[in-house]
PDB file of all heavy atoms in Angstrom:
ATOM      1  N   THR A   1      87.806  16.731 101.961  1.00 88.00           N
ATOM      2  CA  THR A   1      88.129  17.758 102.952  1.00 88.00           C
ATOM      3  C   THR A   1      88.592  17.148 104.274  1.00 88.00           C
ATOM      4  O   THR A   1      88.807  17.877 105.243  1.00 88.00           O
ATOM      5  CB  THR A   1      86.915  18.671 103.204  1.00 88.00           C
ATOM      6  OG1 THR A   1      85.781  17.870 103.571  1.00 88.00           O
ATOM      7  CG2 THR A   1      86.582  19.491 101.966  1.00 88.00           C
ATOM      8  N   ALA A   2      88.757  15.833 104.322  1.00 85.00           N
ATOM      9  CA  ALA A   2      89.235  15.184 105.541  1.00 85.00           C
ATOM     10  C   ALA A   2      90.615  15.719 105.903  1.00 85.00           C
ATOM     11  O   ALA A   2      91.511  15.758 105.071  1.00 85.00           O
ATOM     12  CB  ALA A   2      89.294  13.671 105.347  1.00 85.00           C
ATOM     13  N   GLY A   3      90.763  16.170 107.117  1.00 85.00           N
ATOM     14  CA  GLY A   3      92.039  16.722 107.567  1.00 85.00           C
ATOM     15  C   GLY A   3      92.234  18.192 107.285  1.00 85.00           C
ATOM     16  O   GLY A   3      93.231  18.778 107.723  1.00 85.00           O
ATOM     17  N   CYS A   4      91.305  18.814 106.566  1.00 90.00           N
ATOM     18  CA  CYS A   4      91.418  20.246 106.266  1.00 90.00           C
ATOM     19  C   CYS A   4      90.826  21.068 107.420  1.00 90.00           C
ATOM     20  O   CYS A   4      89.756  20.727 107.939  1.00 90.00           O
ATOM     21  CB  CYS A   4      90.672  20.593 104.988  1.00 90.00           C
ATOM     22  SG  CYS A   4      91.363  19.860 103.491  1.00 90.00           S
ATOM     23  N   PRO A   5      91.464  22.166 107.810  1.00 92.00           N
ATOM     24  CA  PRO A   5      90.899  23.024 108.857  1.00 92.00           C
ATOM     25  C   PRO A   5      89.557  23.614 108.415  1.00 92.00           C
ATOM     26  O   PRO A   5      89.446  24.140 107.307  1.00 92.00           O
ATOM     27  CB  PRO A   5      91.953  24.128 109.031  1.00 92.00           C
ATOM     28  CG  PRO A   5      93.209  23.565 108.444  1.00 92.00           C
ATOM     29  CD  PRO A   5      92.781  22.657 107.345  1.00 92.00           C
ATOM     30  N   GLU A   6      88.552  23.519 109.282  1.00 94.00           N
ATOM     31  CA  GLU A   6      87.223  24.026 108.940  1.00 94.00           C
ATOM     32  C   GLU A   6      87.001  25.408 109.539  1.00 94.00           C
ATOM     33  O   GLU A   6      87.344  25.672 110.683  1.00 94.00           O
ATOM     34  CB  GLU A   6      86.135  23.078 109.451  1.00 94.00           C
ATOM     35  CG  GLU A   6      84.725  23.527 109.089  1.00 94.00           C
ATOM     36  CD  GLU A   6      83.652  22.569 109.557  1.00 94.00           C
ATOM     37  OE1 GLU A   6      84.002  21.473 110.041  1.00 94.00           O
ATOM     38  OE2 GLU A   6      82.453  22.917 109.446  1.00 94.00           O
ATOM     39  N   TYR A   7      86.436  26.291 108.722  1.00 96.00           N
ATOM     40  CA  TYR A   7      86.028  27.612 109.188  1.00 96.00           C
ATOM     41  C   TYR A   7      84.549  27.598 109.548  1.00 96.00           C
ATOM     42  O   TYR A   7      83.758  26.871 108.933  1.00 96.00           O
ATOM     43  CB  TYR A   7      86.240  28.667 108.094  1.00 96.00           C
ATOM     44  CG  TYR A   7      87.680  29.042 107.858  1.00 96.00           C
ATOM     45  CD1 TYR A   7      88.435  28.393 106.890  1.00 96.00           C
ATOM     46  CD2 TYR A   7      88.289  30.056 108.598  1.00 96.00           C
ATOM     47  CE1 TYR A   7      89.762  28.743 106.660  1.00 96.00           C
ATOM     48  CE2 TYR A   7      89.612  30.404 108.377  1.00 96.00           C
ATOM     49  CZ  TYR A   7      90.337  29.740 107.411  1.00 96.00           C
ATOM     50  OH  TYR A   7      91.646  30.081 107.191  1.00 96.00           O
ATOM     51  N   LYS A   8      84.178  28.415 110.498  1.00 95.00           N
ATOM     52  CA  LYS A   8      82.770  28.597 110.818  1.00 95.00           C
ATOM     53  C   LYS A   8      82.191  29.644 109.878  1.00 95.00           C
ATOM     54  O   LYS A   8      82.748  30.730 109.717  1.00 95.00           O
ATOM     55  CB  LYS A   8      82.594  29.062 112.265  1.00 95.00           C
ATOM     56  CG  LYS A   8      81.129  29.250 112.658  1.00 95.00           C
ATOM     57  CD  LYS A   8      80.987  29.705 114.106  1.00 95.00           C
ATOM     58  CE  LYS A   8      79.511  29.896 114.472  1.00 95.00           C
ATOM     59  NZ  LYS A   8      79.346  30.343 115.871  1.00 95.00           N
ATOM     60  N   LEU A   9      81.085  29.311 109.240  1.00 96.00           N
ATOM     61  CA  LEU A   9      80.417  30.260 108.357  1.00 96.00           C
ATOM     62  C   LEU A   9      79.652  31.274 109.198  1.00 96.00           C
ATOM     63  O   LEU A   9      78.777  30.913 109.984  1.00 96.00           O
ATOM     64  CB  LEU A   9      79.462  29.523 107.414  1.00 96.00           C
ATOM     65  CG  LEU A   9      78.705  30.378 106.398  1.00 96.00           C
ATOM     66  CD1 LEU A   9      79.675  31.122 105.478  1.00 96.00           C
ATOM     67  CD2 LEU A   9      77.774  29.503 105.562  1.00 96.00           C
ATOM     68  N   LEU A  10      80.013  32.561 109.044  1.00 96.00           N
ATOM     69  CA  LEU A  10      79.396  33.632 109.823  1.00 96.00           C
ATOM     70  C   LEU A  10      78.372  34.422 109.010  1.00 96.00           C
ATOM     71  O   LEU A  10      77.337  34.816 109.531  1.00 96.00           O
ATOM     72  CB  LEU A  10      80.478  34.573 110.352  1.00 96.00           C
ATOM     73  CG  LEU A  10      81.549  33.933 111.241  1.00 96.00           C
ATOM     74  CD1 LEU A  10      82.647  34.939 111.561  1.00 96.00           C
ATOM     75  CD2 LEU A  10      80.926  33.390 112.521  1.00 96.00           C
ATOM     76  N   LEU A  11      78.700  34.636 107.744  1.00 96.00           N
ATOM     77  CA  LEU A  11      77.825  35.450 106.891  1.00 96.00           C
ATOM     78  C   LEU A  11      78.015  35.027 105.444  1.00 96.00           C
ATOM     79  O   LEU A  11      79.130  34.744 105.004  1.00 96.00           O
ATOM     80  CB  LEU A  11      78.184  36.934 107.034  1.00 96.00           C
ATOM     81  CG  LEU A  11      77.375  37.931 106.187  1.00 96.00           C
ATOM     82  CD1 LEU A  11      75.994  38.142 106.791  1.00 96.00           C
ATOM     83  CD2 LEU A  11      78.110  39.261 106.075  1.00 96.00           C
ATOM     84  N   LYS A  12      76.894  34.983 104.707  1.00 97.00           N
ATOM     85  CA  LYS A  12      76.980  34.746 103.266  1.00 97.00           C
ATOM     86  C   LYS A  12      75.943  35.610 102.560  1.00 97.00           C
ATOM     87  O   LYS A  12      74.762  35.587 102.900  1.00 97.00           O
ATOM     88  CB  LYS A  12      76.768  33.266 102.930  1.00 97.00           C
ATOM     89  CG  LYS A  12      76.887  32.983 101.432  1.00 97.00           C
ATOM     90  CD  LYS A  12      77.056  31.502 101.111  1.00 97.00           C
ATOM     91  CE  LYS A  12      75.915  30.659 101.568  1.00 97.00           C
ATOM     92  NZ  LYS A  12      75.991  29.278 101.032  1.00 97.00           N
ATOM     93  N   GLU A  13      76.423  36.373 101.576  1.00 97.00           N
ATOM     94  CA  GLU A  13      75.570  37.260 100.798  1.00 97.00           C
ATOM     95  C   GLU A  13      75.755  36.988  99.310  1.00 97.00           C
ATOM     96  O   GLU A  13      76.836  36.601  98.867  1.00 97.00           O
ATOM     97  CB  GLU A  13      75.923  38.726 101.067  1.00 97.00           C
ATOM     98  CG  GLU A  13      75.727  39.170 102.502  1.00 97.00           C
ATOM     99  CD  GLU A  13      76.265  40.572 102.755  1.00 97.00           C
ATOM    100  OE1 GLU A  13      77.228  40.976 102.060  1.00 97.00           O
ATOM    101  OE2 GLU A  13      75.732  41.251 103.645  1.00 97.00           O
ATOM    102  N   LYS A  14      74.692  37.221  98.559  1.00 98.00           N
ATOM    103  CA  LYS A  14      74.735  37.120  97.100  1.00 98.00           C
ATOM    104  C   LYS A  14      74.445  38.504  96.541  1.00 98.00           C
ATOM    105  O   LYS A  14      73.356  39.046  96.743  1.00 98.00           O
ATOM    106  CB  LYS A  14      73.696  36.092  96.623  1.00 98.00           C
ATOM    107  CG  LYS A  14      73.744  35.789  95.128  1.00 98.00           C
ATOM    108  CD  LYS A  14      72.746  34.689  94.790  1.00 98.00           C
ATOM    109  CE  LYS A  14      72.821  34.273  93.341  1.00 98.00           C
ATOM    110  NZ  LYS A  14      71.850  33.171  93.030  1.00 98.00           N
ATOM    111  N   ILE A  15      75.422  39.056  95.844  1.00 98.00           N
ATOM    112  CA  ILE A  15      75.354  40.451  95.408  1.00 98.00           C
ATOM    113  C   ILE A  15      75.175  40.508  93.897  1.00 98.00           C
ATOM    114  O   ILE A  15      75.964  39.933  93.143  1.00 98.00           O
ATOM    115  CB  ILE A  15      76.635  41.208  95.809  1.00 98.00           C
ATOM    116  CG1 ILE A  15      76.867  41.105  97.320  1.00 98.00           C
ATOM    117  CG2 ILE A  15      76.562  42.668  95.369  1.00 98.00           C
ATOM    118  CD1 ILE A  15      78.246  41.522  97.754  1.00 98.00           C
ATOM    119  N   ASN A  16      74.148  41.206  93.446  1.00 98.00           N
ATOM    120  CA  ASN A  16      73.938  41.433  92.022  1.00 98.00           C
ATOM    121  C   ASN A  16      74.857  42.570  91.587  1.00 98.00           C
ATOM    122  O   ASN A  16      74.707  43.709  92.041  1.00 98.00           O
ATOM    123  CB  ASN A  16      72.471  41.780  91.744  1.00 98.00           C
ATOM    124  CG  ASN A  16      72.160  41.847  90.263  1.00 98.00           C
ATOM    125  OD1 ASN A  16      72.843  42.510  89.495  1.00 98.00           O
ATOM    126  ND2 ASN A  16      71.098  41.168  89.856  1.00 98.00           N
ATOM    127  N   LEU A  17      75.820  42.272  90.723  1.00 97.00           N
ATOM    128  CA  LEU A  17      76.822  43.262  90.343  1.00 97.00           C
ATOM    129  C   LEU A  17      76.261  44.348  89.438  1.00 97.00           C
ATOM    130  O   LEU A  17      76.856  45.426  89.320  1.00 97.00           O
ATOM    131  CB  LEU A  17      78.009  42.569  89.657  1.00 97.00           C
ATOM    132  CG  LEU A  17      78.774  41.580  90.544  1.00 97.00           C
ATOM    133  CD1 LEU A  17      79.831  40.843  89.722  1.00 97.00           C
ATOM    134  CD2 LEU A  17      79.421  42.296  91.717  1.00 97.00           C
ATOM    135  N   LYS A  18      75.116  44.101  88.807  1.00 97.00           N
ATOM    136  CA  LYS A  18      74.497  45.112  87.948  1.00 97.00           C
ATOM    137  C   LYS A  18      73.647  46.093  88.747  1.00 97.00           C
ATOM    138  O   LYS A  18      73.681  47.301  88.507  1.00 97.00           O
ATOM    139  CB  LYS A  18      73.645  44.434  86.869  1.00 97.00           C
ATOM    140  CG  LYS A  18      74.453  43.742  85.788  1.00 97.00           C
ATOM    141  CD  LYS A  18      73.544  43.241  84.672  1.00 97.00           C
ATOM    142  CE  LYS A  18      74.355  42.671  83.518  1.00 97.00           C
ATOM    143  NZ  LYS A  18      73.498  42.194  82.396  1.00 97.00           N
ATOM    144  N   THR A  19      72.889  45.580  89.702  1.00 97.00           N
ATOM    145  CA  THR A  19      71.945  46.425  90.436  1.00 97.00           C
ATOM    146  C   THR A  19      72.442  46.811  91.827  1.00 97.00           C
ATOM    147  O   THR A  19      71.918  47.744  92.432  1.00 97.00           O
ATOM    148  CB  THR A  19      70.599  45.700  90.602  1.00 97.00           C
ATOM    149  OG1 THR A  19      70.775  44.551  91.449  1.00 97.00           O
ATOM    150  CG2 THR A  19      70.053  45.265  89.242  1.00 97.00           C
ATOM    151  N   GLY A  20      73.431  46.059  92.332  1.00 97.00           N
ATOM    152  CA  GLY A  20      73.899  46.303  93.694  1.00 97.00           C
ATOM    153  C   GLY A  20      73.030  45.661  94.759  1.00 97.00           C
ATOM    154  O   GLY A  20      73.327  45.783  95.951  1.00 97.00           O
ATOM    155  N   GLU A  21      71.963  44.979  94.361  1.00 98.00           N
ATOM    156  CA  GLU A  21      71.068  44.335  95.326  1.00 98.00           C
ATOM    157  C   GLU A  21      71.808  43.237  96.082  1.00 98.00           C
ATOM    158  O   GLU A  21      72.538  42.435  95.487  1.00 98.00           O
ATOM    159  CB  GLU A  21      69.866  43.741  94.604  1.00 98.00           C
ATOM    160  CG  GLU A  21      68.881  43.036  95.534  1.00 98.00           C
ATOM    161  CD  GLU A  21      67.743  42.371  94.779  1.00 98.00           C
ATOM    162  OE1 GLU A  21      67.685  42.496  93.545  1.00 98.00           O
ATOM    163  OE2 GLU A  21      66.909  41.713  95.443  1.00 98.00           O
ATOM    164  N   ILE A  22      71.611  43.182  97.392  1.00 98.00           N
ATOM    165  CA  ILE A  22      72.270  42.192  98.241  1.00 98.00           C
ATOM    166  C   ILE A  22      71.224  41.254  98.831  1.00 98.00           C
ATOM    167  O   ILE A  22      70.278  41.696  99.490  1.00 98.00           O
ATOM    168  CB  ILE A  22      73.064  42.868  99.377  1.00 98.00           C
ATOM    169  CG1 ILE A  22      74.151  43.787  98.803  1.00 98.00           C
ATOM    170  CG2 ILE A  22      73.689  41.810 100.287  1.00 98.00           C
ATOM    171  CD1 ILE A  22      74.891  44.583  99.858  1.00 98.00           C
ATOM    172  N   GLN A  23      71.393  39.978  98.576  1.00 98.00           N
ATOM    173  CA  GLN A  23      70.511  38.952  99.140  1.00 98.00           C
ATOM    174  C   GLN A  23      71.247  38.251 100.276  1.00 98.00           C
ATOM    175  O   GLN A  23      72.327  37.685 100.074  1.00 98.00           O
ATOM    176  CB  GLN A  23      70.125  37.936  98.067  1.00 98.00           C
ATOM    177  CG  GLN A  23      69.208  36.821  98.582  1.00 98.00           C
ATOM    178  CD  GLN A  23      68.921  35.778  97.506  1.00 98.00           C
ATOM    179  OE1 GLN A  23      69.353  35.902  96.357  1.00 98.00           O
ATOM    180  NE2 GLN A  23      68.176  34.752  97.872  1.00 98.00           N
ATOM    181  N   LEU A  24      70.681  38.292 101.459  1.00 97.00           N
ATOM    182  CA  LEU A  24      71.278  37.620 102.607  1.00 97.00           C
ATOM    183  C   LEU A  24      70.938  36.137 102.543  1.00 97.00           C
ATOM    184  O   LEU A  24      69.773  35.753 102.589  1.00 97.00           O
ATOM    185  CB  LEU A  24      70.765  38.223 103.914  1.00 97.00           C
ATOM    186  CG  LEU A  24      71.289  37.583 105.208  1.00 97.00           C
ATOM    187  CD1 LEU A  24      72.800  37.761 105.329  1.00 97.00           C
ATOM    188  CD2 LEU A  24      70.573  38.173 106.421  1.00 97.00           C
ATOM    189  N   LEU A  25      71.966  35.289 102.440  1.00 97.00           N
ATOM    190  CA  LEU A  25      71.765  33.849 102.371  1.00 97.00           C
ATOM    191  C   LEU A  25      71.941  33.175 103.723  1.00 97.00           C
ATOM    192  O   LEU A  25      71.307  32.155 103.998  1.00 97.00           O
ATOM    193  CB  LEU A  25      72.740  33.234 101.357  1.00 97.00           C
ATOM    194  CG  LEU A  25      72.606  33.717  99.916  1.00 97.00           C
ATOM    195  CD1 LEU A  25      73.705  33.121  99.052  1.00 97.00           C
ATOM    196  CD2 LEU A  25      71.231  33.375  99.346  1.00 97.00           C
ATOM    197  N   PHE A  26      72.803  33.752 104.555  1.00 96.00           N
ATOM    198  CA  PHE A  26      73.031  33.177 105.879  1.00 96.00           C
ATOM    199  C   PHE A  26      73.693  34.218 106.773  1.00 96.00           C
ATOM    200  O   PHE A  26      74.570  34.965 106.331  1.00 96.00           O
ATOM    201  CB  PHE A  26      73.933  31.944 105.802  1.00 96.00           C
ATOM    202  CG  PHE A  26      74.282  31.366 107.149  1.00 96.00           C
ATOM    203  CD1 PHE A  26      73.411  30.510 107.808  1.00 96.00           C
ATOM    204  CD2 PHE A  26      75.477  31.704 107.778  1.00 96.00           C
ATOM    205  CE1 PHE A  26      73.726  29.999 109.059  1.00 96.00           C
ATOM    206  CE2 PHE A  26      75.796  31.193 109.025  1.00 96.00           C
ATOM    207  CZ  PHE A  26      74.919  30.340 109.671  1.00 96.00           C
ATOM    208  N   ARG A  27      73.267  34.252 108.015  1.00 95.00           N
ATOM    209  CA  ARG A  27      73.950  35.044 109.039  1.00 95.00           C
ATOM    210  C   ARG A  27      73.902  34.283 110.359  1.00 95.00           C
ATOM    211  O   ARG A  27      72.818  33.899 110.817  1.00 95.00           O
ATOM    212  CB  ARG A  27      73.307  36.420 109.227  1.00 95.00           C
ATOM    213  CG  ARG A  27      74.025  37.272 110.301  1.00 95.00           C
ATOM    214  CD  ARG A  27      73.207  38.489 110.699  1.00 95.00           C
ATOM    215  NE  ARG A  27      73.133  39.460 109.649  1.00 95.00           N
ATOM    216  CZ  ARG A  27      74.034  40.432 109.458  1.00 95.00           C
ATOM    217  NH1 ARG A  27      75.070  40.548 110.281  1.00 95.00           N
ATOM    218  NH2 ARG A  27      73.892  41.290 108.474  1.00 95.00           N
ATOM    219  N   SER A  28      75.061  34.054 110.938  1.00 94.00           N
ATOM    220  CA  SER A  28      75.119  33.415 112.236  1.00 94.00           C
ATOM    221  C   SER A  28      74.575  34.376 113.290  1.00 94.00           C
ATOM    222  O   SER A  28      74.879  35.575 113.259  1.00 94.00           O
ATOM    223  CB  SER A  28      76.557  33.043 112.577  1.00 94.00           C
ATOM    224  OG  SER A  28      76.672  32.653 113.933  1.00 94.00           O
ATOM    225  N   PRO A  29      73.765  33.897 114.227  1.00 92.00           N
ATOM    226  CA  PRO A  29      73.255  34.767 115.293  1.00 92.00           C
ATOM    227  C   PRO A  29      74.372  35.441 116.091  1.00 92.00           C
ATOM    228  O   PRO A  29      74.160  36.505 116.670  1.00 92.00           O
ATOM    229  CB  PRO A  29      72.452  33.798 116.172  1.00 92.00           C
ATOM    230  CG  PRO A  29      72.098  32.668 115.274  1.00 92.00           C
ATOM    231  CD  PRO A  29      73.233  32.524 114.328  1.00 92.00           C
ATOM    232  N   SER A  30      75.551  34.832 116.088  1.00 87.00           N
ATOM    233  CA  SER A  30      76.660  35.378 116.871  1.00 87.00           C
ATOM    234  C   SER A  30      77.487  36.412 116.116  1.00 87.00           C
ATOM    235  O   SER A  30      78.384  37.030 116.681  1.00 87.00           O
ATOM    236  CB  SER A  30      77.587  34.237 117.319  1.00 87.00           C
ATOM    237  OG  SER A  30      78.184  33.624 116.195  1.00 87.00           O
ATOM    238  N   TYR A  31      77.157  36.604 114.819  1.00 88.00           N
ATOM    239  CA  TYR A  31      78.000  37.503 114.009  1.00 88.00           C
ATOM    240  C   TYR A  31      77.399  38.892 113.941  1.00 88.00           C
ATOM    241  O   TYR A  31      76.228  39.092 113.625  1.00 88.00           O
ATOM    242  CB  TYR A  31      78.153  36.960 112.583  1.00 88.00           C
ATOM    243  CG  TYR A  31      78.984  37.892 111.702  1.00 88.00           C
ATOM    244  CD1 TYR A  31      80.335  38.053 111.938  1.00 88.00           C
ATOM    245  CD2 TYR A  31      78.382  38.601 110.674  1.00 88.00           C
ATOM    246  CE1 TYR A  31      81.096  38.920 111.165  1.00 88.00           C
ATOM    247  CE2 TYR A  31      79.144  39.450 109.876  1.00 88.00           C
ATOM    248  CZ  TYR A  31      80.500  39.604 110.134  1.00 88.00           C
ATOM    249  OH  TYR A  31      81.246  40.465 109.360  1.00 88.00           O
ATOM    250  N   HIS A  32      78.239  39.894 114.228  1.00 81.00           N
ATOM    251  CA  HIS A  32      77.861  41.298 114.135  1.00 81.00           C
ATOM    252  C   HIS A  32      78.944  42.033 113.378  1.00 81.00           C
ATOM    253  O   HIS A  32      80.085  42.164 113.862  1.00 81.00           O
ATOM    254  CB  HIS A  32      77.688  41.908 115.527  1.00 81.00           C
ATOM    255  CG  HIS A  32      76.653  41.196 116.365  1.00 81.00           C
ATOM    256  ND1 HIS A  32      75.296  41.358 116.160  1.00 81.00           N
ATOM    257  CD2 HIS A  32      76.798  40.292 117.387  1.00 81.00           C
ATOM    258  CE1 HIS A  32      74.637  40.601 117.035  1.00 81.00           C
ATOM    259  NE2 HIS A  32      75.515  39.940 117.770  1.00 81.00           N
ATOM    260  N   GLU A  33      78.617  42.474 112.166  1.00 74.00           N
ATOM    261  CA  GLU A  33      79.608  43.137 111.319  1.00 74.00           C
ATOM    262  C   GLU A  33      79.838  44.569 111.782  1.00 74.00           C
ATOM    263  O   GLU A  33      78.890  45.281 112.105  1.00 74.00           O
ATOM    264  CB  GLU A  33      79.152  43.105 109.863  1.00 74.00           C
ATOM    265  CG  GLU A  33      80.229  43.492 108.869  1.00 74.00           C
ATOM    266  CD  GLU A  33      79.863  43.090 107.452  1.00 74.00           C
ATOM    267  OE1 GLU A  33      78.675  42.786 107.211  1.00 74.00           O
ATOM    268  OE2 GLU A  33      80.757  43.072 106.605  1.00 74.00           O
ATOM    269  N   ASN A  34      81.112  44.971 111.777  1.00 69.00           N
ATOM    270  CA  ASN A  34      81.423  46.340 112.151  1.00 69.00           C
ATOM    271  C   ASN A  34      80.895  47.309 111.119  1.00 69.00           C
ATOM    272  O   ASN A  34      81.003  47.043 109.915  1.00 69.00           O
ATOM    273  CB  ASN A  34      82.934  46.529 112.287  1.00 69.00           C
ATOM    274  CG  ASN A  34      83.510  45.721 113.430  1.00 69.00           C
ATOM    275  OD1 ASN A  34      82.857  45.534 114.444  1.00 69.00           O
ATOM    276  ND2 ASN A  34      84.741  45.232 113.276  1.00 69.00           N
ATOM    277  N   PRO A  35      80.309  48.437 111.550  1.00 59.00           N
ATOM    278  CA  PRO A  35      79.753  49.396 110.583  1.00 59.00           C
ATOM    279  C   PRO A  35      80.868  50.069 109.787  1.00 59.00           C
ATOM    280  O   PRO A  35      81.999  50.114 110.203  1.00 59.00           O
ATOM    281  CB  PRO A  35      79.030  50.404 111.476  1.00 59.00           C
ATOM    282  CG  PRO A  35      79.682  50.286 112.810  1.00 59.00           C
ATOM    283  CD  PRO A  35      80.119  48.844 112.941  1.00 59.00           C
TER     284      PRO A  35
END
C-alpha cells in the first residue's frame, strides 16, 4: 500500500443478512451519520 492514498476509517459495521442484526465494530468519535 506504499504510495496509495489512505482513507480515514469513520465507521465499520457487520450486518447479519439473515437476521438484520448490526454489530458495531468501529465508530470514530468525530463521525455522525445523517439520519
Side-chain angles (χ1 to χ4, degrees):
T1 55
C4 294
E6 182 178 352
Y7 286 93
K8 181 180 180 180
L9 181 60
L10 301 173
L11 179 76
K12 181 164 61 170
E13 298 172 331
K14 186 176 184 179
I15 304 166
N16 188 309
L17 297 174
K18 288 187 174 181
T19 66
E21 179 184 357
I22 300 175
Q23 180 184 357
L24 179 63
L25 299 175
F26 176 82
R27 180 193 290 272
S28 169
S30 64
Y31 178 69
H32 302 284
E33 193 164 15
N34 294 326

